[in-house]
Amino acid sequence: MDTSEPVRILTVCTGNICRSPVAERLLQAGLDQVVPGGFEVTSAGTRALVGEPMQPISADIVRTFGGDPENFAARQLNSKILRGVDLVLTMTAGHRGEVLQLDATLLKRTFTIREFARMLDVLDQRAAASAGNGLDGNYDGGGRLAANTAFWKSLPARAAGVRHLALAGDPADNDIVDPYRRAPEVYRQMEDQLAPAIVSILRHARLNAPA
């Protein structure tokens, strides 16, 4: 297992200008605070408006939560982008299916972001009950970044192990609404769905950061 590189996370939506850029920039900003240099978060779209910047309201949401929306350009999802990714977080179940059509080997590393967040909440609750949060200072000689990478490379399997405890009451609760060309209120709905998922992921990262 190569633990010399940062954890590579890819967020995916349709146009790569509304939802996945918000997830990308807010996850990157939060994870940089937890383990500086430990993560590389990027995004792409299944039908991307290639080269376009983030939509203005999405950029405002990123700024509101302390991220940087600047210098963003939409990218088309392809097999090259997926190569070497440790974790794929999609905005809908449909996007997950499209990722797996491109690379079926990512089956156990691809989740909708809301589903993944619920799984991490279950893991956190279990760890709290057993007072087992966090990694200790024994990094097996690899250093803090290596310990963090090893933890995150093994995280998808642990998350999938509690999937049955994190099922959505309604399948729609796995998806983030697409606000493109819709009213500002739909962007607020997107924010309300996406922000708690990002908070859960960042909480899990913080609770399990190498000391």
Side-chain angles (χ1 to χ4, degrees), residues 14-50:
T14 304
N16 193 214
I17 57 172
C18 297
R19 293 169 287 179
S20 59
V22 173
E24 171 200 325
R25 293 301 173 94
L26 293 184
L27 283 172
Q28 187 71 71
L31 293 169
D32 281 346
Q33 294 183 27
V34 175
V35 181
F39 297 87
E40 178 184 286
V41 189
T42 57
S43 64
T46 57
R47 288 175 290 284
L49 298 173
V50 176

Side-chain angles (χ1 to χ4, degrees), residues 31-96:
L31 293 169
D32 281 346
Q33 294 183 27
V34 175
V35 181
F39 297 87
E40 178 184 286
V41 189
T42 57
S43 64
T46 57
R47 288 175 290 284
L49 298 173
V50 176
E52 289 294 310
M54 202 180 307
Q55 287 287 286
I57 299 179
S58 287
D60 288 343
I61 292 170
V62 170
R63 292 188 190 95
T64 296
F65 287 93
D68 181 4
E70 300 302 321
N71 302 312
F72 180 86
R75 302 189 303 166
Q76 175 62 38
L77 181 69
N78 56 44
S79 56
K80 183 178 179 180
I81 286 174
L82 290 169
R83 196 174 303 139
V85 170
D86 298 305
L87 176 65
V88 183
L89 299 174
T90 69
M91 299 301 111
T92 70
H95 296 133
R96 181 177 186 270

Side-chain angles (χ1 to χ4, degrees), residues 1 5 14 33 37 56 58 83-84 91 115 132 137-138 147 160 180 183 208 210:
M1 180 182 292
E5 297 293 329
T14 304
Q33 294 183 27
S58 287
R83 196 174 303 139
M91 299 301 111
E115 176 188 37
N138 181 9
Y180 182 55
N208 293 282

